[in-house]
Amino acid sequence: VEGDVHKLHVDVATEIVINGNAGIIESTSGPIKCGGVVSGDVRTTSGKITCGNVQGNIETVSGKIEVSGNVVGNVKSVSGSIKTS
């Protein structure tokens, strides 16, 4: 996605990339990358999450989480590493 998106829900994707700000990002299966600010939550059941500033929660059941900015909410990965800077 080029630009801003209010809410994005994807069942299955090879990769989800948002080059802008987002409200809520959800995926059942697939990695998520967001280059802008996320004002809500970022969730995937299976896949890596890479993002900057998130004003909500970040959660994956199976996958790594890499955050390069600030997170206001919680960061949780049931099976995977968490890296924040």
Side-chain angles (χ1 to χ4, degrees):
V1 177
E2 292 294 331
D4 298 343
V5 61
H6 176 70
K7 181 176 182 177
L8 181 65
H9 177 82
V10 178
D11 287 330
V12 178
T14 304
E15 183 176 56
I16 300 165
V17 180
I18 300 172
N19 293 318
N21 299 321
I24 298 170
I25 308 169
E26 298 175 336
S27 170
T28 303
S29 179
I32 298 172
K33 291 182 183 180
C34 186
V37 174
V38 180
S39 61
D41 297 338
V42 182
R43 290 190 198 112
T44 185
T45 303
S46 176
K48 179 180 177 181
I49 298 174
T50 307
C51 53
N53 294 318
V54 177
Q55 297 172 352
N57 300 314
I58 304 172
E59 184 175 342
T60 181
V61 175
S62 176
K64 294 170 57 173
I65 298 174
E66 293 182 2
V67 182
S68 60
N70 296 319
V71 179
V72 175
N74 298 313
V75 180
K76 178 181 177 183
S77 177
V78 176
S79 174
S81 63
I82 298 173
K83 179 181 176 185
T84 58
S85 58

